[in-house]
Amino acid sequence: MGKYIVSLKDVVKKYKGTVAVNQVNLQLERGKIYGLVGKNGAGKTSMMRMIAGLSIPTKGSIKVNAGRVGTLIEAPGLNGNMSAKENLKFYRMLYQTGKNENSEEELLRLVGLDNVGKKKVKDFSLGMRQRLGIAVALLGKPDFVMLDEPVNGLDPVGVVEIRNLIKKLNQEKKITFLVSSHNLPELFQTATDFIIMDKGSIKKEITQEELEEKHKESLEEYFLEVIQGEGREAE
């Protein structure tokens, strides 16, 4: 199936003349958990939307070599008048996934929503909605999953549970993940590799091991140095 599950070549995305993604070249290897780091407006969500096929590049090409792709990008599109299980059944029909795939009960158990019963989604907290959005992303047993701020709104226990879920699915199911988050310490404990973006461009790609060696005071300071151009290797 090839070493790379996603390849971007010279990708540009413009919105009404504003460049959101600028000449991005990127290859994601199978079996890794990529942490996508950058300030608001860095181009993270725009890039993820193009990889997911929700937006068309202005220039360049994107190749996704995956059987199925799961996504949670921006707010999950859920029906507030349905229960969690009903939402999953709806998306199963929409995606036309087979009955031999993950059951609704199994998915709800995986994300910690197995006790919500018939409670309508409109009465869910933000964290519960995020969990359900992740469950939708896992429909159809994807081999590549993109999560945009997946721990947004979760309490500390929920954050750890989602971290453990991502790592478990990566290790046991060999799912490749691309995860964006503002929670840098949490992302540091989850990702195997990091992609640092700023102003639509990729500033640096670095492994978790390399990052452990480089950051001295804090992750935030190191990422800021890279964005400002101060974190480059001395020539």
Side-chain angles (χ1 to χ4, degrees):
M1 294 180 68
K3 179 179 180 181
Y4 300 109
I5 199 163
V6 174
S7 297
L8 284 73
K9 184 176 181 181
D10 300 326
V11 171
V12 175
K13 182 63 180 180
K14 295 181 180 180
Y15 295 100
K16 297 181 179 179
T18 300
V19 179
V21 176
N22 188 20
Q23 292 291 333
V24 165
N25 289 280
L26 180 67
Q27 291 182 308
L28 304 183
E29 291 186 24
R30 295 182 184 278
K32 293 191 173 185
I33 302 173
Y34 287 91
L36 185 57
V37 182
K39 297 181 290 186
N40 288 336
K44 304 187 303 297
T45 299
S46 294
M47 187 173 76
M48 294 175 88
R49 285 178 58 82
M50 287 189 288
I51 295 173
L54 300 174
S55 179
I56 300 173
T58 306
K59 291 175 60 179
S61 63
I62 298 175
K63 181 179 180 181
V64 180
N65 190 16
R68 286 179 177 168
V69 178
T71 62
L72 171 60
I73 299 177
E74 298 173 324
L78 304 171
N79 188 318
N81 292 315
M82 291 182 179
S83 68
K85 187 174 181 178
E86 288 170 339
N87 267 275
L88 288 176
K89 285 184 175 180
F90 169 76
Y91 274 102
R92 186 182 298 282
M93 290 188 295
L94 185 66
Y95 295 159
Q96 297 182 341
T97 62
K99 289 292 184 181
N100 62 332
E101 308 293 358
N102 293 324
S103 67
E104 287 82 13
E105 292 80 6
E106 181 182 1
L107 289 168
L108 292 175
R109 178 183 55 79
L110 277 173
V111 299
L113 290 176
D114 48 331
N115 295 318
V116 297
K118 296 183 179 180
K119 184 176 182 178
K120 294 188 183 299
V121 169
K122 65 182 179 182
D123 298 320
F124 279 16
S125 67
L126 175 59
M128 292 170 70
R129 287 172 176 264
Q130 288 294 106
R131 291 171 186 264
L132 183 53
I134 293 172
V136 171
L138 295 173
L139 274 168
K141 294 185 177 179
D143 46 5
F144 176 54
V145 173
M146 289 185 289
L147 303 175
D148 190 13
E149 299 288 345
V151 298
N152 184 34
L154 296 181
D155 59 28
V157 174
V159 170
V160 173
E161 289 175 349
I162 295 303
R163 178 216 307 165
N164 291 338
L165 173 62
I166 292 172
K167 295 177 76 170
K168 179 180 179 180
L169 291 169
N170 172 256
Q171 294 166 6
E172 296 183 5
K173 305 295 185 182
K174 309 304 179 186
I175 297 175
T176 305
F177 283 90
L178 177 60
V179 183
S180 74
S181 178
H182 285 95
N183 190 332
L184 297 183
E186 175 59 30
L187 199 59
F188 181 70
Q189 296 182 70
T190 307
T192 62
D193 295 75
F194 297 86
I195 303 162
I196 305 174
M197 287 192 73
D198 187 55
K199 298 177 181 177
S201 300
I202 293 178
K203 296 297 183 181
K204 194 174 187 66
E205 296 178 55
I206 187 170
T207 67
Q208 204 265 0
E209 290 81 6
E210 291 170 334
L211 186 56
E212 281 185 328
E213 295 177 0
K214 289 179 180 294
H215 84 84
K216 297 177 181 179
E217 299 297 329
S218 70
L219 294 172
E220 289 85 351
E221 288 185 6
Y222 175 74
F223 290 135
L224 184 60
E225 287 177 358
V226 172
I227 288 172
Q228 293 176 339
E230 299 170 6
R232 292 173 294 186
E233 297 288 342
E235 297 183 359

